[in-house]
């Protein structure tokens, strides 16, 4: 895109945000890079962030699979435990506050739809009742035995990881009800055991809001969403088509 065209596009986008009565923020992994979170784009990006997995020949799509919690839980929790602690100690960058200011000044309200599991929108002060985490959250757990406890908080969970091997050190997270193994409430690849109830409640609130704002001026701001996992991109496009944003 030529520089003059980019300037025109930016002016048009700024005007759309200024005029909007409602704001929908859709975000993928790219929004977290400026906070210092690793870029998993392609095998090399993932292996640069986590060299031990290069030696094992494990790519992100192979490691982010629920089977490891049964066959090698120390490996599974090495990956997810490291990410949990990383997300806890990383502060969301200043752009989150800009988005929050835009959102909270809309007369018809706002919502966030994100594929990120890091909880950084909530950490940046966004109302949790207006955030949809379509792939779940690493800050919540579920029982691997499916004992009926439902989804529970990971707030009291702290996982030590040997960064030379990326394996978690005992004790590993357990279900407080049956004392069986626990896993993150995150939608993984090939995951048929993910408990979607928390995300379904979030999506229900978003759907009701979208019904309420029909006929109002809506701006959709998409950030950090690519095509490798097109969940966010497709949702942005579907809302734009549905409401004519």
């Amino acid at each position: 895109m030529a520089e003059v065209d980019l300037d025109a596009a930016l002016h048009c986008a700024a005007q759309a945000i200024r005029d909007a009565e409602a704001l929908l923020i859709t975000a993928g992994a790219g929004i977290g890079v400026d906070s210092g979170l690793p870029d998993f784009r392609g095998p090399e990006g993932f292996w640069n962030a986590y060299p031990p997995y290069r030696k094992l020949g494990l790519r992100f799509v192979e490691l982010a699979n629920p089977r490891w919690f049964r066959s090698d839980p120390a490996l599974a929790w090495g990956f997810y435990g490291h990410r949990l602690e990383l997300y806890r100690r990383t502060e969301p960058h200043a752009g989150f506050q800009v988005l929050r200011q835009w959102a909270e000044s809309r007369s018809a309200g706002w919502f966030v739809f994100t594929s990120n599991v890091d909880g950084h929108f909530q950490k940046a002060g966004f109302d949790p009742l207006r955030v949809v985490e379509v792939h779940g959250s690493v800050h919540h757990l579920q029982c691997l035995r499916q004992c009926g406890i439902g989804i529970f908080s990971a707030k009291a969970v702290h996982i030590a990881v040997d960064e030379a091997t990326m394996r978690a050190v005992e004790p590993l997270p357990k279900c407080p009800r049956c004392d069986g193994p626990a896993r993150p409430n995150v939608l993984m690849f090939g995951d048929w055991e993910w408990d979607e109830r928390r995300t379904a409640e979030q999506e229900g609130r978003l759907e009701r809001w979208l019904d309420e704002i029909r006929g109002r001026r809506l701006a959709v701001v998409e950030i950090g969403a690519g095509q490798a996992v097109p969940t966010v991109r497709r949702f942005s496009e579907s809302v734009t088509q549905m409401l004519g944003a």
Side-chain angles (χ1 to χ4, degrees), residues 28-34 36-53 58-64 78-84 86-87 115-118 135 138 166 186 189 224 226-229:
I31 195 175
V33 172
D34 284 341
L37 297 179
D39 178 7
F40 292 165
R41 194 178 305 162
E44 287 301 323
F46 176 62
W47 287 335
N48 287 337
Y50 296 109
Y53 297 132
L58 290 173
R59 299 173 300 167
F60 175 76
V61 296
E62 294 163 337
L63 192 59
F79 178 51
Y80 281 98
H82 185 274
R83 291 174 68 190
L84 173 61
L86 175 64
Y87 297 155
S115 59
N116 298 339
V117 301
D118 54 28
H135 291 165
V138 74
M166 289 303 297
V186 169
F189 294 95
Q227 292 285 8
V229 180

Side-chain angles (χ1 to χ4, degrees), residues 19-97:
D19 292 344
E21 298 172 278
L23 188 69
L24 175 63
I25 300 165
T26 63
I31 195 175
V33 172
D34 284 341
S35 298
L37 297 179
D39 178 7
F40 292 165
R41 194 178 305 162
E44 287 301 323
F46 176 62
W47 287 335
N48 287 337
Y50 296 109
Y53 297 132
R54 183 192 297 272
K55 296 178 181 178
L56 295 173
L58 290 173
R59 299 173 300 167
F60 175 76
V61 296
E62 294 163 337
L63 192 59
N65 188 301
R67 68 186 178 92
W68 296 111
F69 284 94
R70 297 187 185 280
S71 65
D72 194 345
L75 176 70
W77 272 115
F79 178 51
Y80 281 98
H82 185 274
R83 291 174 68 190
L84 173 61
E85 300 300 338
L86 175 64
Y87 297 155
R88 282 172 169 168
R89 65 175 180 265
T90 302
E91 291 299 320
H93 61 74
F96 281 86
Q97 293 307 320

Side-chain angles (χ1 to χ4, degrees), residues 68-232:
W68 296 111
F69 284 94
R70 297 187 185 280
S71 65
D72 194 345
L75 176 70
W77 272 115
F79 178 51
Y80 281 98
H82 185 274
R83 291 174 68 190
L84 173 61
E85 300 300 338
L86 175 64
Y87 297 155
R88 282 172 169 168
R89 65 175 180 265
T90 302
E91 291 299 320
H93 61 74
F96 281 86
Q97 293 307 320
V98 174
L99 292 172
R100 184 180 164 193
Q101 290 170 8
W102 289 354
E104 293 179 348
S105 64
R106 301 304 101 184
S107 60
W110 57 274
F111 245 91
V112 171
F113 179 95
T114 181
S115 59
N116 298 339
V117 301
D118 54 28
H120 273 199
F121 278 99
Q122 294 93 324
K123 193 172 184 178
F126 285 78
D127 182 353
L129 294 179
R130 290 186 170 273
V131 177
V132 175
E133 295 160 301
V134 69
H135 291 165
S137 169
V138 74
H139 300 285
H140 292 80
L141 307 179
Q142 63 183 76
C143 178
L144 206 64
R145 292 177 179 171
Q146 301 180 357
C147 72
I149 189 175
I151 300 167
F152 51 97
S153 174
K155 188 174 182 178
V157 171
H158 295 278
I159 303 162
V161 177
D162 181 347
E163 295 198 14
T165 63
M166 289 303 297
R167 296 182 67 83
V169 179
E170 295 279 357
L172 302 181
K174 292 185 177 181
C175 171
R177 177 176 178 176
C178 72
D179 206 37
R183 53 159 281 186
N185 181 233
V186 169
L187 177 61
M188 305 175 200
F189 294 95
D191 195 349
W192 299 103
E193 298 180 342
W194 178 54
D195 189 336
E196 64 180 0
R197 285 175 289 182
R198 179 173 175 272
T199 293
E201 290 177 2
Q202 294 174 335
E203 290 177 328
R205 290 192 289 267
L206 171 57
E207 290 170 5
R208 289 190 290 274
W209 177 72
L210 289 173
D211 285 339
E212 292 170 1
I213 64 168
R214 285 185 181 273
R216 309 293 292 272
R217 293 189 301 275
L218 170 68
V220 179
V221 177
E222 180 185 288
I223 305 174
Q227 292 285 8
V229 180
T231 308
V232 172

